[in-house]
Amino acid sequence: MVQQLNYLKETPSQTAGPYVHIGLTPNFCGIGGVYEADLGSWMVNEQTRGERITITGRVIDGAGAPLKDALVEIWQADAAGLYNSPTEIRGAADPNFSGWGRCPTSAEDGVFTFETVKPGRVPYSRDRLMAPHITFWIVARGINVGLHTRMYFPDEAEANAADPLLARIEHRHRVATLVATGAAPNYVFDIHLQGEKETVFLDI
Amino acid sequence: MSDRTNRKPETGTFFARDRGWHAPALTPGYKTSVLRSPQKALLSLDGTISEITGPVFGHSLIGELDNDLIHNFAQVGESAIGERIIVHGRVLDERGRAVPGALLEFWQANAGGRYRHKKESYLAPLDPNFGGCGRTITDEEGFYSFRTIKPGPYPWPNGVNDWRPAHIHFSVFGHGFAQRLITQMYFEGDPMIWKCPIVNTIPDHQAIEQLIAPLDWVNTIPFDARAYKFDIVLRGRRSTMFENRLEGN
């Protein structure tokens, strides 16, 4: 007999459901007085270094309707390409930049908005950089396991062309689903859950 | 933002997620998944620094009553109505190692199955002393606990007569954004569990059982609150070095 590996199994995911706001953005849904502010509602302050940008977008279902009950989180490097994480071993990130944001899609028009900075490039390997990008994570009623994707920038064509993740997309017309539209400082990133314009989602 | 510990930061990439253990995206018995599930294959890539890293929250974030749903929305001197319980457990990774500093957020309906949310129209009344949200951060050994009332089951528009079992939603941050997880905890012995289309999105019976918290009699506090134990397992990290990539551990 060989030894047992004894690895545990990951706790299975379940949908966040329609009332995800109660737990993650209680002030947004009218539950005041429990937390001072909703977590992730700010990413920058006056001292944050880098180019300020705004990202808006919608999460769109297979019938073309924007989700009005989704919750979007983003995670990104600071302007110098450093993550505000204990796992970042290359240096200290900008202390005035959280790197992480959380925004529910609006109950009226389904739009989410993030006020942030444009991320610097981060390494893929010792000799290769990734193009500037922001990691997105989407949960909602009807989504059983949170969806990971990335937003790249339309004004970084050269870096995007050399990006190792984008290079792995077999059907080249789908690369465009990960590139925001608009122009600095206002970028638009619509996420299509299914159908012809389906966003590339990641198992990462 | 981060609590530093003496532990060396782990920088290995994560174990691949077992997508056969989790629910698939398309689960027609849960109707909303039909138009909200990607139809194309996910793009697989070994984790990069963008997923190995993740936000970590300091204990200073947590207010005194954040982990006490019986009191955190109640008027002074009042408390929520319902079965008083303590939910506690540990956050571990797949290697069985404690995950300290993990932020847990939870939300739930009140004892009658009513959520405090403007989109909710179930006729069961709101409890004026119950909000339904809480949060805590695991200690150095990965332990957490919170105090609440046991939520009631509630009906939902899926099938003609579908009811959710009593459940508490959990959101978990580990140390890397790839560990991000939202799930639901169920209660031992609830006959509603096996009828639920959301529970049954998970194909594996043992995986479902991993979401059912047993009654933890020894931790029940006499004349105060019963206890349920719910351990959470996040993706493990590889311990091996990897060539021509960021430093391993």
Side-chain angles (χ1 to χ4, degrees), chain A residues 55-117:
Chain A
I55 301 165
T56 57
R58 297 168 299 163
V59 182
I60 298 162
D61 74 13
L67 273 58
K68 295 174 178 176
D69 55 9
L71 183 100
V72 180
E73 291 184 5
I74 66 173
W75 172 241
Q76 64 165 100
D78 68 11
L82 291 167
Y83 282 100
N84 188 353
S85 164
T87 314
E88 175 59 85
I89 54 176
R90 296 169 301 141
D94 183 347
N96 293 301
F97 181 59
S98 75
W100 173 78
R102 171 185 277 171
C103 187
T105 59
S106 142
E108 284 75 47
D109 55 12
V111 172
F112 61 79
T113 305
F114 292 100
E115 306 285 345
T116 181
V117 294

Short mmCIF file of all heavy atoms in Angstrom, two decimals, chain A residues 55-117:
data_model
loop_
_atom_site.label_atom_id
_atom_site.label_comp_id
_atom_site.label_asym_id
_atom_site.label_seq_id
_atom_site.Cartn_x
_atom_site.Cartn_y
_atom_site.Cartn_z
N ILE A 55 -14.22 52.75 -14.87
CA ILE A 55 -14.69 51.62 -15.66
C ILE A 55 -16.17 51.44 -15.38
O ILE A 55 -16.59 51.32 -14.23
CB ILE A 55 -13.95 50.32 -15.28
CG1 ILE A 55 -12.44 50.48 -15.49
CG2 ILE A 55 -14.48 49.14 -16.10
CD1 ILE A 55 -11.63 49.40 -14.82
N THR A 56 -16.95 51.45 -16.44
CA THR A 56 -18.37 51.12 -16.31
C THR A 56 -18.67 49.92 -17.19
O THR A 56 -17.92 49.63 -18.13
CB THR A 56 -19.28 52.29 -16.72
OG1 THR A 56 -18.97 52.66 -18.07
CG2 THR A 56 -19.11 53.49 -15.82
N GLY A 57 -19.74 49.25 -16.90
CA GLY A 57 -20.10 48.12 -17.74
C GLY A 57 -21.36 47.45 -17.24
O GLY A 57 -21.95 47.88 -16.23
N ARG A 58 -21.77 46.44 -17.93
CA ARG A 58 -22.96 45.66 -17.56
C ARG A 58 -22.63 44.19 -17.70
O ARG A 58 -21.70 43.81 -18.39
CB ARG A 58 -24.13 46.00 -18.49
CG ARG A 58 -24.60 47.46 -18.41
CD ARG A 58 -25.54 47.78 -19.56
NE ARG A 58 -24.87 47.60 -20.85
CZ ARG A 58 -25.50 47.50 -22.02
NH1 ARG A 58 -26.81 47.55 -22.08
NH2 ARG A 58 -24.80 47.31 -23.14
N VAL A 59 -23.41 43.37 -17.03
CA VAL A 59 -23.32 41.92 -17.17
C VAL A 59 -24.60 41.51 -17.89
O VAL A 59 -25.70 41.78 -17.39
CB VAL A 59 -23.22 41.22 -15.80
CG1 VAL A 59 -23.07 39.71 -15.98
CG2 VAL A 59 -22.05 41.79 -14.99
N ILE A 60 -24.46 40.88 -19.07
CA ILE A 60 -25.61 40.69 -19.95
C ILE A 60 -25.90 39.20 -20.12
O ILE A 60 -24.99 38.40 -20.35
CB ILE A 60 -25.33 41.39 -21.30
CG1 ILE A 60 -25.16 42.89 -21.05
CG2 ILE A 60 -26.43 41.12 -22.31
CD1 ILE A 60 -24.47 43.65 -22.15
N ASP A 61 -27.19 38.82 -20.00
CA ASP A 61 -27.54 37.40 -20.07
C ASP A 61 -27.73 36.94 -21.52
O ASP A 61 -27.58 37.72 -22.47
CB ASP A 61 -28.75 37.09 -19.18
CG ASP A 61 -30.08 37.60 -19.75
OD1 ASP A 61 -30.14 37.98 -20.94
OD2 ASP A 61 -31.07 37.60 -18.99
N GLY A 62 -28.09 35.68 -21.67
CA GLY A 62 -28.21 35.07 -23.00
C GLY A 62 -29.35 35.61 -23.84
O GLY A 62 -29.43 35.33 -25.04
N ALA A 63 -30.26 36.37 -23.22
CA ALA A 63 -31.35 36.99 -23.98
C ALA A 63 -31.04 38.47 -24.24
O ALA A 63 -31.90 39.20 -24.74
CB ALA A 63 -32.66 36.84 -23.22
N GLY A 64 -29.84 38.91 -23.87
CA GLY A 64 -29.45 40.30 -24.12
C GLY A 64 -29.86 41.28 -23.04
O GLY A 64 -29.70 42.49 -23.20
N ALA A 65 -30.36 40.78 -21.93
CA ALA A 65 -30.81 41.67 -20.85
C ALA A 65 -29.71 41.83 -19.80
O ALA A 65 -29.09 40.85 -19.40
CB ALA A 65 -32.06 41.10 -20.19
N PRO A 66 -29.46 43.09 -19.38
CA PRO A 66 -28.46 43.28 -18.32
C PRO A 66 -28.96 42.74 -16.98
O PRO A 66 -30.14 42.89 -16.64
CB PRO A 66 -28.27 44.80 -18.26
CG PRO A 66 -29.43 45.39 -18.96
CD PRO A 66 -30.04 44.35 -19.85
N LEU A 67 -28.07 42.11 -16.23
CA LEU A 67 -28.41 41.61 -14.89
C LEU A 67 -28.49 42.80 -13.94
O LEU A 67 -27.55 43.59 -13.85
CB LEU A 67 -27.32 40.64 -14.40
CG LEU A 67 -27.46 39.17 -14.78
CD1 LEU A 67 -27.51 38.98 -16.29
CD2 LEU A 67 -26.33 38.35 -14.19
N LYS A 68 -29.60 42.88 -13.22
CA LYS A 68 -29.78 43.98 -12.26
C LYS A 68 -29.56 43.51 -10.83
O LYS A 68 -29.82 44.23 -9.88
CB LYS A 68 -31.16 44.59 -12.44
CG LYS A 68 -31.29 45.24 -13.83
CD LYS A 68 -32.68 45.73 -14.12
CE LYS A 68 -32.69 46.41 -15.50
NZ LYS A 68 -34.04 46.82 -15.88
N ASP A 69 -29.09 42.27 -10.68
CA ASP A 69 -28.85 41.74 -9.34
C ASP A 69 -27.49 41.07 -9.23
O ASP A 69 -27.27 40.23 -8.37
CB ASP A 69 -29.97 40.75 -8.96
CG ASP A 69 -30.15 39.64 -9.99
OD1 ASP A 69 -29.32 39.53 -10.91
OD2 ASP A 69 -31.14 38.88 -9.87
N ALA A 70 -26.56 41.43 -10.13
CA ALA A 70 -25.23 40.82 -10.08
C ALA A 70 -24.33 41.62 -9.14
O ALA A 70 -24.63 42.76 -8.76
CB ALA A 70 -24.61 40.77 -11.47
N LEU A 71 -23.21 41.02 -8.76
CA LEU A 71 -22.21 41.70 -7.97
C LEU A 71 -20.86 41.44 -8.63
O LEU A 71 -20.54 40.31 -8.97
CB LEU A 71 -22.20 41.16 -6.54
CG LEU A 71 -21.22 41.90 -5.64
CD1 LEU A 71 -21.94 42.92 -4.78
CD2 LEU A 71 -20.43 40.95 -4.77
N VAL A 72 -20.11 42.52 -8.85
CA VAL A 72 -18.85 42.42 -9.56
C VAL A 72 -17.73 42.83 -8.61
O VAL A 72 -17.84 43.84 -7.91
CB VAL A 72 -18.86 43.35 -10.80
CG1 VAL A 72 -17.54 43.27 -11.55
CG2 VAL A 72 -20.03 43.01 -11.72
N GLU A 73 -16.67 42.04 -8.58
CA GLU A 73 -15.47 42.44 -7.84
C GLU A 73 -14.31 42.52 -8.82
O GLU A 73 -14.24 41.73 -9.77
CB GLU A 73 -15.14 41.42 -6.74
CG GLU A 73 -16.15 41.42 -5.61
CD GLU A 73 -15.77 40.49 -4.47
OE1 GLU A 73 -14.67 39.89 -4.50
OE2 GLU A 73 -16.58 40.36 -3.54
N ILE A 74 -13.40 43.47 -8.58
CA ILE A 74 -12.20 43.54 -9.41
C ILE A 74 -10.96 43.51 -8.51
O ILE A 74 -11.00 43.90 -7.34
CB ILE A 74 -12.18 44.78 -10.34
CG1 ILE A 74 -12.10 46.08 -9.55
CG2 ILE A 74 -13.40 44.77 -11.26
CD1 ILE A 74 -11.91 47.32 -10.46
N TRP A 75 -9.88 43.05 -9.08
CA TRP A 75 -8.58 42.92 -8.38
C TRP A 75 -7.50 43.27 -9.38
O TRP A 75 -7.52 42.78 -10.51
CB TRP A 75 -8.42 41.50 -7.85
CG TRP A 75 -7.07 41.16 -7.28
CD1 TRP A 75 -6.21 40.20 -7.74
CD2 TRP A 75 -6.44 41.75 -6.14
NE1 TRP A 75 -5.10 40.16 -6.95
CE2 TRP A 75 -5.20 41.10 -5.96
CE3 TRP A 75 -6.80 42.78 -5.26
CZ2 TRP A 75 -4.32 41.44 -4.94
CZ3 TRP A 75 -5.92 43.12 -4.24
CH2 TRP A 75 -4.71 42.46 -4.08
N GLN A 76 -6.61 44.17 -9.00
CA GLN A 76 -5.62 44.65 -9.95
C GLN A 76 -4.36 45.14 -9.26
O GLN A 76 -4.35 45.42 -8.06
CB GLN A 76 -6.22 45.79 -10.78
CG GLN A 76 -6.56 47.01 -9.93
CD GLN A 76 -6.82 48.26 -10.76
OE1 GLN A 76 -7.96 48.62 -11.01
NE2 GLN A 76 -5.73 48.92 -11.16
N ALA A 77 -3.30 45.27 -10.04
CA ALA A 77 -2.05 45.84 -9.55
C ALA A 77 -2.18 47.36 -9.48
O ALA A 77 -3.07 47.96 -10.11
CB ALA A 77 -0.91 45.45 -10.49
N ASP A 78 -1.28 47.99 -8.74
CA ASP A 78 -1.24 49.46 -8.69
C ASP A 78 -0.56 49.99 -9.96
O ASP A 78 -0.20 49.21 -10.86
CB ASP A 78 -0.57 49.95 -7.40
CG ASP A 78 0.93 49.64 -7.34
OD1 ASP A 78 1.52 49.22 -8.38
OD2 ASP A 78 1.52 49.81 -6.27
N ALA A 79 -0.37 51.30 -10.00
CA ALA A 79 0.18 51.91 -11.22
C ALA A 79 1.59 51.42 -11.53
O ALA A 79 2.03 51.42 -12.68
CB ALA A 79 0.17 53.43 -11.08
N ALA A 80 2.30 50.95 -10.49
CA ALA A 80 3.67 50.47 -10.69
C ALA A 80 3.71 48.96 -10.96
O ALA A 80 4.79 48.38 -11.06
CB ALA A 80 4.52 50.80 -9.46
N GLY A 81 2.55 48.34 -11.02
CA GLY A 81 2.53 46.91 -11.31
C GLY A 81 2.75 46.04 -10.08
O GLY A 81 3.24 44.92 -10.19
N LEU A 82 2.39 46.55 -8.89
CA LEU A 82 2.52 45.76 -7.65
C LEU A 82 1.15 45.52 -7.03
O LEU A 82 0.29 46.41 -7.03
CB LEU A 82 3.41 46.50 -6.65
CG LEU A 82 4.89 46.61 -7.03
CD1 LEU A 82 5.59 47.62 -6.12
CD2 LEU A 82 5.58 45.25 -6.94
N TYR A 83 0.96 44.32 -6.50
CA TYR A 83 -0.32 43.97 -5.87
C TYR A 83 -0.28 44.27 -4.38
O TYR A 83 0.71 43.98 -3.70
CB TYR A 83 -0.63 42.49 -6.09
CG TYR A 83 -1.16 42.20 -7.48
CD1 TYR A 83 -0.34 41.68 -8.47
CD2 TYR A 83 -2.49 42.45 -7.79
CE1 TYR A 83 -0.83 41.41 -9.75
CE2 TYR A 83 -3.00 42.19 -9.05
CZ TYR A 83 -2.16 41.67 -10.02
OH TYR A 83 -2.66 41.42 -11.28
N ASN A 84 -1.37 44.84 -3.87
CA ASN A 84 -1.49 45.12 -2.44
C ASN A 84 -1.94 43.84 -1.71
O ASN A 84 -3.07 43.71 -1.27
CB ASN A 84 -2.49 46.26 -2.22
CG ASN A 84 -2.50 46.73 -0.77
OD1 ASN A 84 -1.87 46.13 0.10
ND2 ASN A 84 -3.22 47.79 -0.51
N SER A 85 -1.00 42.90 -1.62
CA SER A 85 -1.29 41.57 -1.10
C SER A 85 -0.08 41.06 -0.34
O SER A 85 1.05 41.30 -0.77
CB SER A 85 -1.59 40.64 -2.27
OG SER A 85 -1.54 39.28 -1.88
N PRO A 86 -0.29 40.33 0.78
CA PRO A 86 0.86 39.75 1.49
C PRO A 86 1.64 38.77 0.61
O PRO A 86 2.80 38.46 0.89
CB PRO A 86 0.23 39.00 2.66
CG PRO A 86 -1.16 39.51 2.77
CD PRO A 86 -1.56 40.03 1.44
N THR A 87 1.01 38.29 -0.43
CA THR A 87 1.67 37.35 -1.33
C THR A 87 2.55 38.06 -2.36
O THR A 87 3.28 37.41 -3.09
CB THR A 87 0.59 36.50 -2.04
OG1 THR A 87 -0.35 36.06 -1.06
CG2 THR A 87 1.17 35.28 -2.71
N GLU A 88 2.47 39.38 -2.40
CA GLU A 88 3.32 40.15 -3.33
C GLU A 88 4.72 40.19 -2.74
O GLU A 88 4.93 40.76 -1.66
CB GLU A 88 2.75 41.56 -3.48
CG GLU A 88 3.59 42.51 -4.30
CD GLU A 88 3.83 42.02 -5.71
OE1 GLU A 88 2.96 42.27 -6.57
OE2 GLU A 88 4.89 41.40 -5.93
N ILE A 89 5.68 39.56 -3.43
CA ILE A 89 7.03 39.48 -2.86
C ILE A 89 8.02 40.36 -3.60
O ILE A 89 9.21 40.36 -3.29
CB ILE A 89 7.54 38.02 -2.84
CG1 ILE A 89 7.45 37.41 -4.24
CG2 ILE A 89 6.77 37.17 -1.83
CD1 ILE A 89 8.02 36.01 -4.35
N ARG A 90 7.54 41.16 -4.55
CA ARG A 90 8.48 41.95 -5.36
C ARG A 90 8.69 43.36 -4.79
O ARG A 90 9.55 44.09 -5.25
CB ARG A 90 7.97 42.06 -6.80
CG ARG A 90 7.91 40.70 -7.52
CD ARG A 90 7.16 40.82 -8.83
NE ARG A 90 5.80 41.28 -8.61
CZ ARG A 90 5.16 42.14 -9.40
NH1 ARG A 90 5.75 42.63 -10.47
NH2 ARG A 90 3.93 42.51 -9.12
N GLY A 91 7.87 43.75 -3.83
CA GLY A 91 7.99 45.10 -3.28
C GLY A 91 6.68 45.51 -2.64
O GLY A 91 5.71 44.75 -2.67
N ALA A 92 6.66 46.71 -2.07
CA ALA A 92 5.45 47.18 -1.39
C ALA A 92 4.60 48.00 -2.35
O ALA A 92 5.08 48.94 -2.99
CB ALA A 92 5.83 48.02 -0.18
N ALA A 93 3.33 47.62 -2.44
CA ALA A 93 2.40 48.34 -3.31
C ALA A 93 2.04 49.70 -2.70
O ALA A 93 2.27 49.94 -1.51
CB ALA A 93 1.14 47.51 -3.52
N ASP A 94 1.48 50.57 -3.51
CA ASP A 94 1.00 51.89 -3.08
C ASP A 94 0.03 51.72 -1.91
O ASP A 94 -1.03 51.11 -2.06
CB ASP A 94 0.29 52.54 -4.28
CG ASP A 94 -0.18 53.96 -3.98
OD1 ASP A 94 -0.18 54.35 -2.79
OD2 ASP A 94 -0.56 54.65 -4.93
N PRO A 95 0.38 52.25 -0.72
CA PRO A 95 -0.51 52.06 0.44
C PRO A 95 -1.84 52.81 0.30
O PRO A 95 -2.78 52.55 1.05
CB PRO A 95 0.31 52.61 1.61
CG PRO A 95 1.31 53.53 1.00
CD PRO A 95 1.59 53.00 -0.38
N ASN A 96 -1.90 53.73 -0.65
CA ASN A 96 -3.15 54.47 -0.86
C ASN A 96 -4.00 53.88 -1.98
O ASN A 96 -4.87 54.54 -2.54
CB ASN A 96 -2.84 55.94 -1.17
CG ASN A 96 -2.26 56.63 0.04
OD1 ASN A 96 -2.89 56.68 1.09
ND2 ASN A 96 -1.03 57.11 -0.09
N PHE A 97 -3.73 52.65 -2.29
CA PHE A 97 -4.51 51.98 -3.32
C PHE A 97 -4.87 50.58 -2.82
O PHE A 97 -4.00 49.81 -2.44
CB PHE A 97 -3.71 51.89 -4.62
CG PHE A 97 -4.46 51.23 -5.74
CD1 PHE A 97 -5.67 51.77 -6.18
CD2 PHE A 97 -3.99 50.08 -6.34
CE1 PHE A 97 -6.38 51.16 -7.21
CE2 PHE A 97 -4.70 49.47 -7.37
CZ PHE A 97 -5.90 50.01 -7.81
N SER A 98 -6.17 50.27 -2.80
CA SER A 98 -6.60 48.98 -2.23
C SER A 98 -6.35 47.84 -3.20
O SER A 98 -6.11 46.71 -2.78
CB SER A 98 -8.08 49.03 -1.87
OG SER A 98 -8.88 48.96 -3.03
N GLY A 99 -6.47 48.10 -4.48
CA GLY A 99 -6.31 47.04 -5.47
C GLY A 99 -7.56 46.21 -5.69
O GLY A 99 -7.64 45.44 -6.65
N TRP A 100 -8.51 46.35 -4.76
CA TRP A 100 -9.72 45.52 -4.82
C TRP A 100 -10.96 46.40 -4.70
O TRP A 100 -10.99 47.32 -3.88
CB TRP A 100 -9.69 44.50 -3.67
CG TRP A 100 -10.97 43.72 -3.55
CD1 TRP A 100 -11.36 42.66 -4.32
CD2 TRP A 100 -12.03 43.95 -2.61
NE1 TRP A 100 -12.59 42.23 -3.91
CE2 TRP A 100 -13.02 42.99 -2.87
CE3 TRP A 100 -12.23 44.86 -1.58
CZ2 TRP A 100 -14.21 42.91 -2.14
CZ3 TRP A 100 -13.41 44.79 -0.86
CH2 TRP A 100 -14.38 43.83 -1.13
N GLY A 101 -11.94 46.10 -5.52
CA GLY A 101 -13.20 46.85 -5.47
C GLY A 101 -14.38 45.93 -5.65
O GLY A 101 -14.25 44.83 -6.20
N ARG A 102 -15.51 46.39 -5.15
CA ARG A 102 -16.74 45.59 -5.22
C ARG A 102 -17.87 46.52 -5.59
O ARG A 102 -17.99 47.60 -5.00
CB ARG A 102 -16.99 44.96 -3.85
CG ARG A 102 -18.33 44.28 -3.70
CD ARG A 102 -18.52 43.81 -2.27
NE ARG A 102 -17.88 42.52 -2.03
CZ ARG A 102 -17.75 41.99 -0.81
NH1 ARG A 102 -18.17 42.63 0.26
NH2 ARG A 102 -17.19 40.80 -0.65
N CYS A 103 -18.70 46.15 -6.57
CA CYS A 103 -19.81 47.00 -6.96
C CYS A 103 -20.99 46.15 -7.42
O CYS A 103 -20.84 45.30 -8.30
CB CYS A 103 -19.39 47.94 -8.09
SG CYS A 103 -20.65 49.17 -8.50
N PRO A 104 -22.17 46.38 -6.84
CA PRO A 104 -23.37 45.71 -7.35
C PRO A 104 -23.80 46.37 -8.66
O PRO A 104 -23.56 47.57 -8.84
CB PRO A 104 -24.41 45.94 -6.26
CG PRO A 104 -23.90 47.04 -5.41
CD PRO A 104 -22.45 47.27 -5.71
N THR A 105 -24.42 45.61 -9.55
CA THR A 105 -24.98 46.25 -10.74
C THR A 105 -26.27 46.95 -10.33
O THR A 105 -27.00 46.48 -9.45
CB THR A 105 -25.25 45.22 -11.86
OG1 THR A 105 -26.16 44.23 -11.39
CG2 THR A 105 -23.96 44.54 -12.30
N SER A 106 -26.52 48.07 -10.98
CA SER A 106 -27.65 48.92 -10.57
C SER A 106 -28.99 48.23 -10.81
O SER A 106 -29.18 47.53 -11.82
CB SER A 106 -27.58 50.24 -11.35
OG SER A 106 -28.86 50.67 -11.72
N ALA A 107 -29.92 48.41 -9.87
CA ALA A 107 -31.25 47.82 -10.00
C ALA A 107 -32.04 48.49 -11.11
O ALA A 107 -33.04 47.96 -11.58
CB ALA A 107 -31.99 47.93 -8.67
N GLU A 108 -31.61 49.68 -11.55
CA GLU A 108 -32.34 50.39 -12.62
C GLU A 108 -31.83 49.97 -14.00
O GLU A 108 -32.60 49.53 -14.84
CB GLU A 108 -32.21 51.91 -12.46
CG GLU A 108 -33.08 52.49 -11.35
CD GLU A 108 -32.52 52.21 -9.96
OE1 GLU A 108 -31.30 52.41 -9.76
OE2 GLU A 108 -33.27 51.76 -9.08
N ASP A 109 -30.52 50.14 -14.24
CA ASP A 109 -30.02 49.87 -15.60
C ASP A 109 -28.93 48.80 -15.65
O ASP A 109 -28.38 48.52 -16.72
CB ASP A 109 -29.53 51.16 -16.26
CG ASP A 109 -28.47 51.88 -15.41
OD1 ASP A 109 -27.96 51.27 -14.44
OD2 ASP A 109 -28.15 53.03 -15.73
N GLY A 110 -28.61 48.20 -14.52
CA GLY A 110 -27.63 47.11 -14.53
C GLY A 110 -26.18 47.54 -14.68
O GLY A 110 -25.32 46.69 -14.91
N VAL A 111 -25.89 48.83 -14.53
CA VAL A 111 -24.51 49.31 -14.74
C VAL A 111 -23.70 49.21 -13.44
O VAL A 111 -24.20 49.53 -12.36
CB VAL A 111 -24.52 50.77 -15.26
CG1 VAL A 111 -23.11 51.35 -15.31
CG2 VAL A 111 -25.16 50.81 -16.65
N PHE A 112 -22.45 48.75 -13.56
CA PHE A 112 -21.49 48.84 -12.44
C PHE A 112 -20.45 49.89 -12.77
O PHE A 112 -20.20 50.18 -13.95
CB PHE A 112 -20.83 47.48 -12.16
CG PHE A 112 -20.03 46.92 -13.31
CD1 PHE A 112 -18.75 47.38 -13.59
CD2 PHE A 112 -20.57 45.93 -14.12
CE1 PHE A 112 -18.01 46.87 -14.66
CE2 PHE A 112 -19.84 45.40 -15.20
CZ PHE A 112 -18.56 45.88 -15.47
N THR A 113 -19.85 50.47 -11.74
CA THR A 113 -18.85 51.54 -11.94
C THR A 113 -17.70 51.35 -10.95
O THR A 113 -17.93 51.12 -9.76
CB THR A 113 -19.50 52.92 -11.67
OG1 THR A 113 -20.64 53.06 -12.49
CG2 THR A 113 -18.51 54.05 -11.96
N PHE A 114 -16.47 51.47 -11.45
CA PHE A 114 -15.29 51.45 -10.58
C PHE A 114 -14.44 52.68 -10.86
O PHE A 114 -14.11 52.96 -12.01
CB PHE A 114 -14.45 50.19 -10.81
CG PHE A 114 -15.12 48.92 -10.37
CD1 PHE A 114 -15.75 48.09 -11.29
CD2 PHE A 114 -15.13 48.56 -9.03
CE1 PHE A 114 -16.37 46.92 -10.88
CE2 PHE A 114 -15.76 47.39 -8.60
CZ PHE A 114 -16.37 46.57 -9.54
N GLU A 115 -14.08 53.40 -9.80
CA GLU A 115 -13.12 54.51 -9.89
C GLU A 115 -11.79 53.93 -9.43
O GLU A 115 -11.66 53.53 -8.27
CB GLU A 115 -13.51 55.66 -8.96
CG GLU A 115 -14.92 56.19 -9.15
CD GLU A 115 -15.05 57.06 -10.40
OE1 GLU A 115 -14.00 57.47 -10.95
OE2 GLU A 115 -16.20 57.29 -10.83
N THR A 116 -10.82 53.87 -10.33
CA THR A 116 -9.57 53.21 -9.98
C THR A 116 -8.41 53.88 -10.71
O THR A 116 -8.54 55.03 -11.15
CB THR A 116 -9.69 51.68 -10.28
OG1 THR A 116 -8.49 51.04 -9.91
CG2 THR A 116 -10.01 51.39 -11.74
N VAL A 117 -7.27 53.20 -10.76
CA VAL A 117 -6.13 53.69 -11.56
C VAL A 117 -5.79 52.63 -12.59
O VAL A 117 -6.09 51.45 -12.41
CB VAL A 117 -4.88 54.00 -10.70
CG1 VAL A 117 -5.15 55.17 -9.77
CG2 VAL A 117 -4.40 52.77 -9.94
#
